[in-house]
Structures are given as C-alpha cells and as structure tokens.
Amino acid sequence: MGKTKIKDLTDEEYLHHGSLACAGCGALLAFRHALKALGPNTITINSTGCMAVIMQMGVPKVPHFHVLFENGPAVMSGVEQALDIMGKRGDTNLLVVVGDGGTADIGMGSLSGAVERGHDFIYLCYDNESYMNTGGQRSGTTPFGAATTTTPVGSVVKGETRPMEMRKDVPEIMIAHGAPYVATASIGYPLDLIDKVKKAATVRGPSYVHVFASCPAGWRSDAKDSVKLAKLAVQTGLIVLFEHENGERTFQHLPKKRKPLREYLELQGRFKHLLDDEDATRELEDYVEGKFKAIEG
Amino acid sequence: MTEVFFTGNRAAAEAAKLVRTQVVAAYPITPQTSAVEYISQFINNGELKANMIRVESEHSALSAVVGASIVGARTFTASSSQGLQLMSEGLYFASGMRLPLVMAIANRTLSMPVNIWADHQDSMVNRDSGWMQIYCANAQEVFDNILQAYKIAEEVLMPAMVCYDGFIVSHVAERMEIIDQEQTDMFLPEPDLTKRPLMDPKNPLQFGEVVYPDWYPDYEYKKHKALLDSPKAIMDVGREYGELFGRSYGMVENYKTDDAEIVFMGLGSLTSTTQWVVNDLRDCGSKVGLSKIRVFRPFPDKEIVEACKNAKVIAVIDRDIGYGTSGMLFPDVTRALYPLASRPKCLNFIIGLGGKDITPETIKNIHETCEKALEGKEVETVNWPDARKYD
C-alpha cells in the first residue's frame, strides 16, 4: 500500500463542523482523519467518553452509535456477526472509537474478548492519558508525574507515582492477543495515522490503532500547541510510532536524535511541578532511554 | 405438532431455533447454561443458521445482541442470577434503544451467601428496567412464551424476558408439545425492519445520543407508555397462539377466583403447587382461588382487580424479598387494589428463597394464616412461613 500524500487526501469531511469539542481537541482530529481514511461506507461506535459527547446532535455523517462506557467492542461483535449472517457486510468498515479510560481500564474485558474472538473490525483508541470527559482523572495510561484531578500535586505527593514501565500498554496487550494488525499513531503525523487506518481496514480480523491525542483542557496546554505536542511526544521519544503485522514490527518517525524531554514537559501545566524535580524528570528520561536501547538493540 | 419430553432449557432452545434466531450471544451460568449448549449444538449440526458469539461476560452478551439487533438481526440470549445482574446496566440501554430483544431467564437467587437454586430475586430486582417480564410454570409455557415474546417485542418495540425457575423448570423434563417450523413461520414471519431505525451506511443515523432535561421526561414517558399499551399486543398474540395451537394466554390466569374469599397470587412454578392445594382446599369446602400472574411487566392491574372482586383476603406469595420492605410482587398488588372502595386484606408471604422446596404444606400453612385474618384475628403483613424465627 502506497504512502498517502497530502494531495491524495479527500476534501470530503465525514464530521460536520460545529462539534462540541474543545479548541485544540486531539481526539476529534483522530476521528476526523480516521473517517477520511475509511470513507462513508463505515459504521461507527463510540463508547462513552469525550468523543460520544462531541458527536452529539448529528456531527457524524456516517451511522454512529454511542454505547456504554465499557461495551463498544461487544456491541460491534454483534453488529459484525449480524451483518455476516444476514449477508449485508459487503465492504462496510466497522470502526470502534474509544478513549484510554474506556480502553485500558473499564473496557479492557470487552476489547480483549472481541479481539480474541477474531471479529473483523477496527478499534481506534484515542489516548489523552486520563479521563477527560469527567474532568481529567487518572487512567491506566496516565504517565508518571502527571498531575490529574485524582493525582493532584500536594505538599507530600506530587502527581502520578506509578512508574512509566507499569503503564498499561494496550498495543502490546493486543499484540499478545495475536491481533493481525496493531499500530500506534499520533495526531501530530496525520498522514501516518491515515495510512495505518487504511491498512487496518484491509486486514481481515481485528485491527488495533492506538492514537496519541493531545488534550489542552486536561493537559493544561495551549490549544495552538496540540499538534506540536503530539509531534514532540514522538520527537522526544516518549511515544514510539510502529506497525506490527505478521510478527514483524516496523517503526515510523523514529527520531535519530531525540529532543530534550523538557521541550515537551514545559508546554503542559500537568508537568509544571516536574520541571524543578530532577529525580522525577530522570525517571522519565530513563524510561525513554531504556525503550530506545531495546529498539536500537 | 409433536409431543416431546423436554426440560425448560431445551424448550427455550427449541423455541429460539424455531424463530430463526440469527445471532445468539451468551455466557455460561448455572442454571441457564444448557439452553445455550443446545443452541450451540443446533448451529454446529446445521439445524440453525445463526452466528453464536461466545462472549467473555454477560455484560458483553447483552451488548452483542444489542449490536446485532440495531442492524436488524433477530437475536437470543439467556442468563441467570449474577449474570443478569452483570447485565443490569445493559438492560436499560437495550430498552431505551427500543430494541425487540428476547432473553430467557432461568431464575436463580443472588449471592451472598452463595446459592445456585431458584427464586425470583434476579429478575425481580430488574423489574423496572423497561423489559416486559413473562413468568412460566413449566417447560410447555417456556416454549410457548418465548415464541410469543418475539411477536410481542417486535410489535411493541420493547425487549422481553421470559423467566422460569432454575432447576425446577430449567432442568426437569416434562411431556410437552412443540410446533414445527412451518407453523412457527406462519405465526412469526420475518421481522419487519421498516418499523424501526437501523444502522446502515446507506441511511446514516445517529443512535444513543444525549437528551437534555427539557426533553428527557418525554422519552421516559414514551417508554412507560409503550409498556402500558403492550397488553393489547400481549393479549392479541396470546389469543392468536391459542387459536393456532390450542393453548391461549392472557396477562393473568385466574383459577376459581370468581367466588373465592381467599385468593393466592404468585409467579412461576409455585403456582402449580398452589393450584393443586386450591383443589384440595376446595374439596374441603374452603372458598379459595389462585391468580397466576403470567405477565409481571407491564403489571396487570385490571386482571388483579378482577381476581379480587369477591375476595376478603389476598395472599401475595413472593419468591423474592425487597430487604427492609416486603416481597416485590406485594407492593404492585396493593397499589392495584388501593383505589377500590372496599379493599381486601392483603398479606405477603416470602417463601422458597434460594430453592427452598415449596410443598403443599407450605401453601397450606399460608392458608391457615389467611383463615385467621378472615376470622378477624391479628396477623403480620409480611410473613416468612418457611424460614426459622430468631426473635
């Protein structure tokens, strides 16, 4: 499959303007790009989360079902099996879009079950690293040190204390399931994201695309920096973009020389307290270092 | 029509096969499991063209049939006890989406303490989830009610639970009759998919969205109204079923209630035991009757009032308990009777919890208390005749 270029992108939009998203919403960009990749013959499901709220009042131009918090993959299992037995599947894409809380935490069982059973659908997780729809609480993907409303900066404990290595790594969990296509993407690299969603659509069976998506409201960053932050996360090495299929992993936009983490951290209020804390920033640097050692061998 | 010797679970599976269920999603739980095992065998034998989704939880079982239904498939699922509780969130989700789902419930109590045997706690605590609830006393009724539930649910666009006592009905084989495929197809044609919105890329619609406070009551009222109006469909279908296959069904089966001074009321298999006792007591000269409630949601106010028109004492038998109040059938009966100018005395009897055997003696014990009340003696309102006393 060829790489998508900007001039190849359709001018067609599958989400109406005027959604309820905050300015600079990364999740909305993830969904918008995914639908540009898939086109109108797509049935979409949102588990509860920001996206379900953003989509209300007729934003999507494709069939859209806002389901419960934890059951998106289960509902899609039923859609897929019904279309199959009724002979109505054709080329219809089935896309489930869920945040990190609905994916890594409350919906893990439902996702695991649907992937293990091998349903033919695409699962897109927009990861903004906490429960943003309820105002920014800590989730299973919240990074070490980040201040959230349930891991606030106090006089004794400052932000999330669980080490980076123990974050719930859903892409790796999906690879362990034997999902035929697993990829990570970032809204900072939309063409790469579109290529990955397109690839996911061609794969038979479950595909999992984990999209890093900035959140100005929860990260306490400037809306104009959303795309910049989604790039910086990759350029600093905190986030690694890859594709995994047929047992092979390939990397995209892997930085040859990583930018200092500080450039990423200092743009976000959630990390402000870390800037003067050498131990804490070293913990993050060690994590990136260790990850790249493993990648580069 | 064929005479067979089936358990309640086998009868449920046969009915699900005959209605040409297209998608089945279920998770194993005692005592429901064998119903789903039979269906799996039908599919793997090629007797039923359906997809079986062997989900990882009951929550996902209900979610999956919601997904299948919203693109137009006829679906089946079954559960019990803890499984039904895990589905609880989805019950409201499904009824709010106005999906014509049918679910078999092999009734079992709720832990703790752990107990796998029959009572109605599991379905009763979900009585206000917007699902119709039909209760069965034997395997024949399980079969008949599941066939009818599809027709009713697809007519009123609300989901239906068909409930039958775990083990007592689910696992006991009885002589019963089944109808054949041709008869089923005549009774229940393919679902009319023009009656409700479906997820279809050719006609993109949005489902499950937010409704703000100004309009929310209207949606709630429409759900309520759909159930309030459903007795017409329930009665029509029950009558048609009778005309075609010889067994008619209504909301309530009133037995010898016309001149009864004491009327027993209950759900499920205990009504068979009670009917036997009613005959016995009638032979001894007692004016007793039985109101066997088939449809608990929507609640059959009219039929209950009719059953009680000459009664002086009503014995509401609950195989469930609303801790701190009474059984869960009791308040609906008293609410239905409250507007009457002359109300009978209503007593509540909590029996058979966790599978405790309901024998003719249990019912006779209830009758004795009712006789006392009839004589004007003081009796408790909520009674536990088969539990030990610790006062």
Side-chain angles (χ1 to χ4, degrees):
Chain A
M1 194 185 287
K3 293 266 181 233
T4 303
K5 298 186 180 67
I6 288 181
K7 66 178 170 59
D8 304 330
L9 283 184
T10 173
D11 290 335
E12 197 68 49
E13 296 289 345
Y14 299 102
L15 297 177
H16 286 288
H17 296 283
S19 80
L20 293 173
C22 305
C25 175
L28 182 65
L29 284 179
F31 196 16
R32 177 187 171 207
H33 295 323
L35 287 177
K36 273 184 182 275
L38 297 174
N41 191 7
T42 303
I43 287 176
T44 61
I45 285 177
N46 277 159
S47 298
T48 296
C50 280
M51 191 66 72
V53 177
I54 295 168
M55 288 302 119
Q56 65 175 291
M57 296 190 290
V59 173
K61 297 183 187 176
V62 293
H64 177 264
F65 189 7
H66 162 218
V67 298
L68 304 174
F69 206 165
E70 68 282 57
N71 73 347
V75 176
M76 196 56 104
S77 304
V79 169
E80 188 243 21
Q81 289 290 287
L83 293 177
D84 173 67
I85 199 80
M86 297 189 298
K88 289 183 179 173
R89 174 68 187 263
D91 297 324
T92 304
N93 300 300
L94 303 180
L95 175 67
V96 180
V97 177
V98 187
D100 48 289
T103 301
D105 299 343
I106 197 169
M108 192 79 235
S110 175
L111 171 62
S112 172
V115 171
E116 172 272 319
R117 293 189 298 272
H119 297 293
D120 187 13
F121 74 113
I122 305 165
Y123 189 101
L124 187 152
C125 170
Y126 58 96
D127 184 3
N128 49 29
E129 303 185 328
S130 29
Y131 288 86
M132 296 314 187
N133 192 40
T134 42
Q137 295 76 32
R138 180 254 197 222
S139 83
T141 70
T142 298
F144 173 83
T148 70
T149 60
T150 50
T151 57
V153 177
S155 52
V156 180
V157 180
K158 297 179 195 311
E160 173 57 51
T161 55
R162 180 252 297 113
M164 285 299 275
E165 290 75 8
M166 291 183 68
R167 278 208 302 180
K168 206 179 278 186
D169 194 338
V170 185
E172 296 302 330
I173 294 170
M174 291 298 106
I175 290 169
H177 276 68
Y181 183 76
V182 176
T184 58
S186 159
I187 57 130
Y189 298 89
L191 297 178
D192 177 66
L193 164 57
I194 285 169
D195 280 336
K196 285 170 176 170
V197 174
K198 278 186 176 168
K199 177 85 72 69
T202 64
V203 170
R204 277 191 70 82
S207 319
Y208 180 84
V209 183
H210 193 95
V211 184
F212 185 77
S214 4
C215 172
W219 295 3
R220 286 179 274 135
S221 55
D222 200 319
K224 74 172 165 47
D225 290 335
S226 281
V227 171
K228 185 180 180 182
L229 280 169
K231 280 189 172 148
L232 275 172
V234 175
Q235 290 161 346
T236 56
L238 258 181
I239 299 296
V240 172
L241 304 186
F242 69 80
E243 279 186 308
H244 186 279
E245 54 180 335
N246 305 321
E248 297 286 324
R249 192 184 303 237
T250 54
F251 296 96
Q252 295 78 36
H253 300 287
L254 200 65
K256 289 202 175 64
K257 186 172 181 313
R258 296 193 300 276
K259 288 191 174 177
L261 261 182
R262 204 176 175 84
E263 285 186 32
Y264 173 73
L265 301 177
E266 67 189 6
L267 291 176
Q268 303 174 61
R270 63 173 174 158
F271 291 124
K272 197 174 160 214
H273 59 284
L274 289 186
L275 296 174
D276 305 323
D277 184 343
E278 269 184 37
D279 288 345
T281 43
R282 187 169 310 117
E283 159 92 25
L284 288 169
E285 278 159 7
D286 288 350
Y287 164 74
V288 173
E289 194 66 42
K291 195 159 61 168
F292 273 74
K293 260 195 191 135
I295 292 170
E296 289 157 356
Chain B
M1 210 96 70
T2 316
E3 198 171 73
V4 293
F5 191 65
F6 280 175
T7 62
N9 278 345
R10 176 78 192 269
E14 288 287 336
K17 180 179 80 175
L18 284 166
V19 302
R20 299 184 188 274
T21 306
Q22 291 164 304
V23 174
V24 181
Y27 188 81
I29 183 165
T30 302
Q32 151 266 36
T33 314
S34 62
V36 183
E37 289 171 341
Y38 285 122
I39 294 175
S40 308
Q41 194 69 56
F42 296 151
I43 293 173
N44 284 4
N45 288 350
E47 295 169 48
L48 173 63
K49 185 175 175 283
N51 278 336
M52 174 78 149
I53 311 178
R54 296 157 184 96
V55 286
E56 78 293 340
S57 77
E58 286 90 353
H59 195 284
S60 285
L62 186 51
S63 301
V65 292
V66 163
S69 183
I70 207 150
V71 292
R74 192 174 272 164
T75 67
F76 180 76
T77 185
S79 196
S80 297
S81 185
Q82 311 302 120
L84 184 56
Q85 280 302 87
L86 189 55
M87 283 183 181
S88 175
E89 184 193 22
L91 295 176
Y92 293 78
F93 173 54
S95 63
M97 295 306 300
R98 303 290 305 264
L99 297 173
L101 307 179
V102 173
M103 168 156 56
I105 305 293
N107 282 114
R108 164 185 155 186
T109 195
L110 296 171
S111 298
M112 303 297 287
V114 177
N115 177 297
I116 59 168
W117 294 279
D119 68 34
H120 302 148
Q121 198 75 9
D122 52 357
S123 53
M124 290 299 263
V125 295
N126 289 299
R127 67 198 180 279
D128 296 324
S129 59
W131 287 58
M132 290 177 271
Q133 288 197 344
I134 304 175
Y135 286 80
C136 313
N138 53 51
Q140 181 73 66
E141 292 183 6
V142 173
F143 179 80
D144 295 345
N145 282 333
I146 288 179
L147 291 184
Q148 291 174 64
Y150 279 94
K151 191 151 183 161
I152 297 162
E154 288 171 13
E155 174 63 29
V156 301
L157 295 181
M158 288 299 265
M161 287 178 198
V162 177
C163 309
Y164 50 95
D165 293 334
F167 297 108
I168 298 164
V169 176
S170 70
H171 283 63
V172 172
E174 299 175 70
R175 198 185 60 170
M176 56 171 277
E177 276 180 355
I178 58 168
I179 60 175
D180 62 29
Q181 190 64 59
E182 203 178 320
Q183 289 171 310
T184 312
D185 293 345
M186 182 177 59
F187 171 69
L188 184 77
E190 278 183 29
D192 176 4
L193 297 181
T194 62
K195 277 190 65 173
R196 60 190 179 99
L198 302 175
M199 286 231 284
D200 178 3
K202 290 189 203 75
N203 178 28
L205 297 172
Q206 200 170 15
F207 297 82
E209 295 310 301
V210 177
V211 170
Y212 289 100
D214 186 31
W215 279 95
Y216 202 79
D218 300 61
Y219 281 84
E220 291 299 278
Y221 177 72
K222 284 186 173 191
K223 280 186 252 175
H224 176 59
K225 186 80 165 48
L227 282 202
L228 278 186
D229 292 347
S230 64
K232 184 183 180 317
I234 295 168
M235 304 287 280
D236 286 350
V237 170
R239 197 177 309 114
E240 184 194 352
Y241 194 84
E243 283 162 8
L244 290 170
F245 312 121
R247 287 179 302 278
S248 298
Y249 288 86
M251 300 290 285
V252 172
E253 199 180 312
N254 286 331
Y255 182 73
K256 299 190 177 175
T257 54
D258 279 351
D259 65 337
E261 291 183 321
I262 296 171
V263 172
F264 301 103
M265 278 182 193
L267 306 162
S269 66
L270 68 86
T271 59
S272 302
T273 310
T274 308
Q275 189 170 338
W276 192 87
V277 174
V278 164
N279 288 336
D280 221 22
L281 292 169
R282 281 268 170 184
D283 289 346
C284 304
S286 297
K287 284 187 175 177
V288 294
L290 165 68
S291 194
K292 171 180 169 182
I293 299 175
R294 174 192 179 224
V295 181
F296 176 62
R297 282 291 180 273
F299 194 74
D301 283 34
K302 198 164 66 95
E303 290 79 0
I304 295 296
V305 169
E306 171 68 20
C308 301
K309 63 184 176 197
N310 294 316
K312 298 194 173 58
V313 177
I314 310 296
V316 180
I317 306 177
D318 263 295
R319 198 166 197 162
D320 57 80
I321 176 65
Y323 310 109
T325 60
S326 66
M328 288 177 256
L329 174 58
F330 187 64
D332 269 309
V333 173
T334 51
R335 179 191 50 72
L337 298 179
Y338 186 79
L340 300 184
S342 159
R343 291 192 292 272
K345 176 133 186 102
C346 292
L347 304 176
N348 192 198
F349 298 89
I350 314 297
I351 58 168
L353 301 189
K356 184 133 184 177
D357 210 7
I358 297 176
T359 64
E361 282 63 40
T362 321
I363 307 298
K364 283 178 179 164
N365 185 330
I366 290 172
H367 177 250
E368 280 169 27
T369 307
C370 294
E371 285 285 356
K372 275 188 205 160
L374 198 59
E375 290 160 17
K377 288 181 188 154
E378 189 95 349
V379 293
E380 293 279 334
T381 304
V382 181
N383 301 273
W384 290 67
D386 67 6
R388 292 166 188 86
K389 302 292 181 294
Y390 298 90
D391 304 327

